[in-house]
Amino acid sequence: MNENQFNALEEIIKEQYANIAGMVILKKDNFVYEKYFNGYTQEDTIHIASVTKSVISALIGIAVDRGYIKNIDQKVLEFFPKYKVKRGERKIHEITIRNLLTMTAPYKYKSEPYTKVYSSDDWTKAALDLLGGKGTIGEFKYSTVGAQILSGILTNATGKTVLDFATENLFKPMSIRPPYNQKVQDKDQYLAFLKNKYVSGWVVDPQGVNTAGWGLAMKPRDMTKFGQLYLNKGIWNGRQILSSKWIENSMKENSRWVEVPYGYLWWIIEDEVCSGYAALGDGGNVIFVSPEKKLVVAITSTFMPRVKDRIELIRKHILPLI
């Protein structure tokens, strides 16, 4: 990419993708582009929204690799022996970790009760209370509150907080500065974390359990490291952080939303121009990985509803230049 191409891309970003805060592009382990917008810098973290889910997926994979979890076909309730199931609730007994990873667990709601869950004293229990209902196990139902159960599983399986487990097994080995716990205790704090320009840390509930569906703040460069870990089949500086088998299985179609395949909390992108997989977060936060092109694209964005598709940006304006 020459200077004119950089300038043309940045004009498109300013005109059509105005809430982008940062973009970093890695090609064959080399940085080929890095730019920050709207007053952000290389050192600023930003809330990456549902990209958090893909980080949790990696942590579940590491817990399986380390033997804390036998396999992802274990029943969810095995990890919550004190949880009391309401009378008549049979379906919940059959839901597995795999169902949570592939968004194929049923829930008792039509629209996600974010405020109810995130203003409760125990977000994992509140999410467990929503499992089941009239839906069918195996049908795709995207759930952010439901993903919280995975954090509860990690905590109970490892005997450590999610942050401590992530710090020991993911952040420190990859030279990513661990975040601190960020408490959110009511609706106003929840909305402030979503909308404030500068946020940092990893949200925890009143029990000290980190969020799984949202709530992690990261730098774009650290997001590219995470994508690079997957691109390199789980190896970082010669160390196997995450098994290649987990990554391979994560990127197979395990479920499908309309025409888009879904792996283990990763979206699978399949077309002639833009093939690979992506961690996608609300507002336009993205980690896109193309094994074919040996490419990682990380994009952070400030909160904004109904933003333009970042995969379209990558497909139409970035890939042709790389």
Side-chain angles (χ1 to χ4, degrees):
M1 295 172 68
N2 60 41
E3 186 175 350
N4 290 335
Q5 290 172 319
F6 284 141
N7 292 338
L9 175 61
E10 288 162 15
E11 285 302 313
I12 290 168
I13 289 170
K14 290 173 183 177
E15 291 175 6
Q16 301 181 33
Y17 302 87
N19 70 317
I20 285 182
M23 181 186 297
V24 179
I25 303 173
L26 201 69
K27 173 77 170 179
K28 295 182 179 179
D29 295 340
N30 294 308
F31 290 101
V32 297
Y33 180 77
E34 183 171 14
K35 183 72 175 182
Y36 297 91
F37 304 86
N38 294 313
Y40 285 88
T41 72
Q42 185 183 92
E43 295 304 311
D44 292 321
T45 60
I46 199 166
H47 177 217
I48 58 173
S50 287
V51 174
T52 307
K53 294 181 175 74
S54 301
V55 176
I56 289 291
S57 176
L59 294 176
I60 292 288
I62 292 170
V64 172
D65 292 342
R66 303 286 188 274
Y68 293 107
I69 296 171
K70 294 176 184 176
N71 59 70
I72 62 170
D73 290 313
Q74 282 187 264
K75 302 295 193 294
V76 166
L77 290 186
E78 290 182 38
F79 298 89
F80 304 98
K82 295 182 180 179
Y83 179 75
K84 294 182 180 180
V85 179
K86 294 180 181 178
R87 182 178 296 178
E89 287 284 355
R90 298 179 180 177
K91 195 176 296 181
I92 189 174
H93 291 279
E94 301 304 315
I95 296 171
T96 65
I97 297 173
R98 183 185 299 275
N99 295 132
L100 297 177
L101 288 170
T102 60
M103 296 293 179
T104 56
Y107 296 92
K108 304 169 188 171
Y109 60 77
K110 291 184 179 180
S111 59
E112 296 201 62
Y114 299 111
T115 302
K116 180 180 179 180
V117 172
Y118 302 136
S119 62
S120 70
D121 291 332
D122 187 332
W123 299 356
T124 303
K125 181 183 180 299
L128 284 168
D129 289 343
L130 295 170
L131 271 182
K134 297 180 180 179
T136 302
I137 297 174
E139 290 183 356
F140 188 91
K141 185 177 179 67
Y142 190 85
S143 178
T144 292
V145 296
Q148 182 65 27
I149 298 168
L150 290 170
S151 281
I153 289 172
L154 278 170
T155 300
N156 291 345
T158 66
K160 302 176 182 180
T161 68
V162 174
L163 178 54
D164 285 348
F165 186 72
T167 297
E168 178 184 343
N169 295 285
L170 189 65
F171 296 144
K172 281 193 174 179
M174 297 178 64
S175 300
I176 296 173
R177 181 181 294 176
Y180 59 86
N181 286 329
Q182 176 72 263
K183 291 184 178 180
V184 169
Q185 297 176 306
D186 55 39
K187 181 179 178 181
D188 290 339
Q189 290 180 355
Y190 166 61
L191 293 175
F193 189 85
L194 295 183
K195 296 180 180 181
N196 286 355
K197 182 174 181 180
Y198 296 106
V199 294
S200 55
W202 194 342
V203 170
V204 293
D205 76 352
Q207 304 299 316
V209 178
N210 296 92
T211 48
W214 63 287
L216 175 61
M218 292 185 77
K219 301 175 186 177
R221 275 205 168 210
D222 290 340
M223 293 164 69
T224 62
K225 287 183 178 182
F226 186 65
Q228 190 179 11
L229 176 70
Y230 273 70
L231 185 62
N232 294 339
K233 300 182 179 180
I235 296 174
W236 187 263
N237 287 340
R239 175 180 171 182
Q240 193 80 48
I241 302 293
L242 180 61
S243 71
S244 59
K245 188 65 176 177
W246 178 265
I247 292 173
E248 179 184 342
N249 290 336
S250 295
M251 302 314 156
K252 290 179 180 177
E253 179 178 336
N254 287 274
S255 55
R256 181 175 284 255
W257 177 70
V258 191
E259 297 180 354
V260 184
Y262 199 72
Y264 294 168
L265 302 181
W266 284 84
W267 297 94
I268 301 167
I269 312 300
E270 295 179 333
D271 63 51
E272 293 180 359
V273 176
C274 189
S275 64
Y277 44 91
L280 301 177
D282 196 18
N285 291 282
V286 179
I287 302 171
F288 171 76
V289 181
S290 172
E292 178 186 354
K293 298 182 182 296
K294 305 296 182 186
L295 182 75
V296 178
V297 180
I299 302 173
T300 55
S301 305
T302 56
F303 179 80
M304 181 185 292
R306 296 179 295 279
V307 298
K308 290 193 68 173
D309 183 5
R310 275 14 178 197
I311 298 300
E312 180 184 4
L313 170 65
I314 293 168
R315 180 188 294 113
K316 290 178 63 175
H317 301 294
I318 294 176
L319 290 183
L321 302 179
I322 303 298

